[in-house]
């Protein structure tokens, strides 16, 4: 990237306290440890820490400019830019930089599956475009703006993940990324503790279309009841994908074997193509359908997009499969939600030979819906044939209750922490067993996976 201090000041409405307006910035960072020569340092102020304390360290490391909401006067050679809010200023600067590029930008949102869909969409598009994509899951009020600065002249398309947890957040992200295409994967109850109702969640996520223009397209999972209910009700072109017969991109003949999932993608009135994914689960079929729908709309031949998806590999802690001493470990520890947990249990159900073991921890930010949501996940665990169920954390006790409501004799072990869970697993796992590990990010379930590997 390259922006002058003058352009940055104009973008964020700031005031230059000192320094040269012609100074050129070549990167934007919020972590002083990542400062390099030419950086703009954006110190963020949180509840527990204030990065303004690292301003001088950032300049010592090579920063040529910095934002500040703590200073009104300063004398220095470097550029100090006063703003009301460094976070909002970061978003405004990122929005201005993004507007330099006229390439198609695809925003990905939903209650679950955002990162996988982002990865698959970027992969399918790579069969015809040079693609920039969100790194990891940098989809937040801070992470998404930082990703905008990764745009370069070599990119021909961009796929960006957009996640929210509260009111007003998607509207701000839409102003930053200005996606002209968008995918919504599903509508669950993730973050319902803040957003209160599914209707509110849907309303907030639909702000992803705020910057739509003529020719923009919204891609929706038709299998999701709330998203399917938008059929014929949007003000812009909408393409549905799923298994229902009316979907524009439809999966048929789904088969799962030897850690792969295969299906045929049908496009009514046009072509169809066989797709093979090196991962398990119906949810991955839906993610792939979204990717194929986007790629096809942007001119990538379906057969080439489908061929590209054969190279998909899950990111760390997202249904990565390990084989350790003839035990299959399904590491899905990155995060969890009711819908995602149920999908992962379906994957576990596909393993045969030994016992199916599920380690399920608290799912956070569910508010008053927490107990019922955990209970329902337990019901699904029992229905899908889990042999041994371990729960971790106070909320997850309801998972065991739900499982017992279906199968009173199911082997449930209620534990307090990851250390106990790891020790318990080591005490009984034997060759042929398959174990799923899943919980919210704040539960740090990767500790259990590391103990098993």
């Amino acid at each position: 990237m390259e922006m002058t201090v003058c352009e940055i000041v104009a973008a964020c409405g700031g005031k230059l306290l000192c320094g040269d307006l012609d100074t050129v910035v070549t990167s934007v960072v919020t972590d002083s440890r990542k400062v390099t020569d030419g950086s703009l340092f954006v110190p963020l102020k949180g509840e527990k820490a204030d990065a303004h304390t690292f301003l001088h360290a950032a300049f010592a490391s090579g920063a040529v400019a910095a934002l500040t909401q703590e200073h009104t006067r300063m004398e220095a050679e470097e550029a100090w830019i006063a703003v009301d809010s460094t976070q909002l200023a970061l978003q405004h600067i990122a929005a201005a930089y993004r507007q330099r590029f006229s390439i198609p930008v695809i925003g990905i949102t939903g209650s679950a599956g955002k990162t996988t869909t982002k990865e698959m969409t970027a992969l399918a598009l790579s069969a015809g475009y040079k693609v920039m994509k969100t790194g990891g899951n940098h989809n937040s009020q801070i992470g998404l703006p930082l990703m905008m600065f990764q745009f370069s002249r070599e990119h021909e398309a961009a796929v960006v993940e957009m996640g929210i947890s509260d009111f007003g957040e998607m509207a701000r992200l839409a102003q930053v990324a200005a996606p002209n295409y968008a995918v919504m994967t599903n509508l669950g109850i993730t973050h319902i503790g803040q957003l209160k109702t599914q209707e509110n969640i849907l309303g907030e996520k639909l702000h992803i279309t705020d910057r739509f223009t003529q020719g923009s397209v919204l891609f929706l999972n038709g299998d999701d009841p709330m998203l399917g209910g938008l059929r014929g009700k949007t003000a812009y072109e909408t393409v549905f994908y799923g298994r229902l017969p009316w979907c524009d991109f439809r999966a048929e003949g789904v088969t799962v074997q030897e850690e792969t999932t295969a299906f045929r993608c049908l496009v009514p009135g046009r072509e169809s193509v066989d797709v093979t994914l090196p991962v398990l689960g119906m949810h991955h079929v839906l993610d792939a359908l979204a990717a194929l729908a986007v790629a096809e709309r942007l001119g990538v031949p379906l057969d080439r997009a489908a061929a590209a998806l054969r190279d998909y590999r899950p990111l760390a802690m997202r249904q990565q499969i390990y084989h350790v001493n003839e035990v299959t470990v399904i590491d899905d520890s990155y995060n969890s939600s009711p819908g995602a947990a149920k999908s992962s249990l379906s994957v576990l159900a596909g393993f045969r030979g030994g016992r199916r073991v599920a380690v399920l921890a608290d799912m956070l930010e569910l508010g008053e819906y927490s107990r019922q949501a955990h209970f329902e996940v337990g019901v699904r665990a029992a229905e899908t044939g889990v042999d041994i169920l371990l729960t971790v954390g106070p909320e997850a006790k309801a998972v065991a209750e739900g499982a017992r409501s279906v199968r009173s004799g199911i082997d449930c072990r209620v534990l307090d922490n990851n250390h106990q869970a790891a020790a318990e697993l080591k005490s009984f796992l034997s060759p042929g067993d398959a174990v799923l590990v899943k919980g919210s990010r704040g539960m740090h379930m990767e500790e259990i996976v590391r103990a098993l590997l």
Side-chain angles (χ1 to χ4, degrees):
M1 70 154 295
E2 187 174 294
M3 293 183 80
T4 65
V5 167
C6 181
E7 291 169 329
I8 289 169
V9 170
C12 67
K15 178 182 178 182
L16 183 65
L17 300 180
C18 58
D20 188 344
L21 284 170
D22 293 325
T23 298
V24 176
V25 168
T26 55
S27 68
V28 179
V29 299
T30 57
D31 185 339
S32 62
R33 295 167 295 183
K34 296 182 179 179
V35 167
T36 57
D37 290 346
S39 290
L40 166 70
F41 177 54
V42 181
L44 299 172
K45 189 172 184 177
E47 294 180 1
K48 297 181 179 179
D50 184 352
H52 284 79
T53 59
F54 301 108
L55 278 164
H56 293 289
F59 284 122
S61 296
V64 295
L67 303 183
T68 176
Q69 63 186 57
E70 297 292 321
H71 300 79
T72 56
R73 296 180 61 186
M74 183 58 60
E75 293 183 6
E77 292 184 3
E78 300 88 359
W80 288 62
I81 304 168
V83 295
D84 292 333
S85 164
T86 53
Q87 179 172 309
L88 289 178
L90 170 65
Q91 293 172 359
H92 293 317
I93 297 165
Y97 186 73
R98 181 264 181 265
Q99 288 305 310
R100 295 182 175 185
F101 302 87
S102 59
I103 62 176
V105 175
I106 301 93
I108 310 289
T109 194
S111 293
K114 293 185 293 295
T115 300
T116 300
T117 303
K118 175 259 298 183
E119 292 290 323
M120 287 192 180
T121 301
L123 193 57
L125 282 173
S126 71
Y129 291 83
K130 178 69 175 180
V131 182
M132 192 285 285
K133 65 177 181 179
T134 298
N137 70 322
H138 296 306
N139 60 18
S140 67
Q141 300 292 302
I142 297 166
L144 178 76
L146 290 175
M147 289 310 306
M148 295 299 101
F149 300 113
Q150 301 304 310
F151 277 58
S152 72
R153 294 302 173 188
E154 68 175 1
H155 293 129
E156 299 169 327
V159 184
V160 294
E161 186 176 334
M162 303 170 70
I164 64 168
S165 60
D166 214 335
F167 292 101
E169 291 185 344
M170 184 60 80
R172 291 193 291 273
L173 293 182
Q175 293 305 311
V176 173
N180 32 33
Y181 300 88
V183 177
M184 197 173 299
T185 61
N186 48 53
L187 219 295
I189 60 172
T190 305
H191 305 304
I192 202 166
Q194 296 95 315
L195 293 168
K196 307 305 180 186
T197 69
Q198 279 192 298
E199 289 74 19
N200 286 346
I201 295 173
L202 176 59
E204 287 300 306
K205 288 189 179 294
L206 281 173
H207 280 290
I208 198 171
T209 65
D210 282 0
R211 293 293 299 274
F212 269 21
T213 58
Q214 185 176 5
S216 292
V217 182
L218 178 63
F219 299 85
L220 296 177
N221 174 3
D223 289 359
D224 183 280
M226 293 195 73
L227 298 183
L230 293 175
R231 189 182 182 193
K233 298 179 180 179
T234 62
Y236 24 77
E237 183 179 358
T238 306
V239 171
F240 288 91
Y241 62 90
R243 293 169 291 181
L244 297 177
W246 55 265
C247 287
D248 302 296
F249 283 73
R250 187 170 77 252
E252 286 191 352
V254 179
T255 60
V256 179
Q257 59 182 10
E258 297 182 358
E259 299 182 14
T260 64
T261 302
F263 65 97
R264 189 158 188 79
C265 173
L266 302 178
V267 187
R270 284 178 282 172
E271 58 186 310
S272 60
V273 64
D274 291 322
V275 184
T276 300
L277 306 173
V279 286
L280 298 172
M282 186 61 210
H283 55 295
H284 285 131
V285 172
L286 294 170
D287 299 337
L289 282 173
L292 292 170
V294 172
E296 193 271 346
R297 175 49 63 101
L298 291 179
V300 179
L302 270 182
D303 58 344
R304 290 173 56 187
L309 290 178
R310 294 176 192 151
D311 295 327
Y312 171 74
R313 296 294 182 272
L315 296 181
M317 300 185 289
R318 291 178 172 88
Q319 289 194 6
Q320 286 186 303
I321 295 178
Y322 301 96
H323 299 284
V324 184
N325 299 323
E326 299 184 61
V327 172
T328 300
V329 179
I330 307 169
D331 178 7
D332 205 12
S333 60
Y334 185 79
N335 211 343
S336 190
S337 65
K342 292 173 184 176
S343 294
S344 295
L345 286 167
S346 296
V347 170
L348 178 63
F351 284 86
R352 299 287 187 270
R355 296 169 297 181
R356 286 163 291 190
V357 181
V359 186
L360 303 176
D362 289 356
M363 299 177 291
L364 306 177
E365 299 183 359
L366 296 178
E368 64 184 82
Y369 294 86
S370 182
R371 188 185 183 285
Q372 182 62 30
H374 284 85
F375 187 93
E376 290 174 0
V377 168
V379 169
R380 179 64 63 88
E383 291 174 342
T384 55
V386 168
D387 297 295
I388 303 175
L389 174 64
L390 279 64
T391 69
V392 180
E395 299 296 315
K397 291 178 181 178
V399 175
E401 295 174 17
R404 291 182 180 123
S405 73
V406 176
R407 287 163 44 204
S408 59
I410 188 172
D411 186 350
C412 293
R413 310 181 188 190
V414 177
L415 305 166
D416 294 326
N417 55 59
N418 294 338
H419 177 75
Q420 291 177 357
E424 188 72 17
L425 288 169
K426 289 180 178 181
S427 73
F428 70 80
L429 286 176
S430 59
D433 290 346
V435 54
L436 165 70
V437 181
K438 191 164 184 64
S440 277
R441 182 86 291 268
M443 298 302 290
H444 303 290
M445 299 296 281
E446 68 276 9
E447 295 172 352
I448 297 174
V449 176
R450 284 200 298 266
L452 297 177
L453 299 183

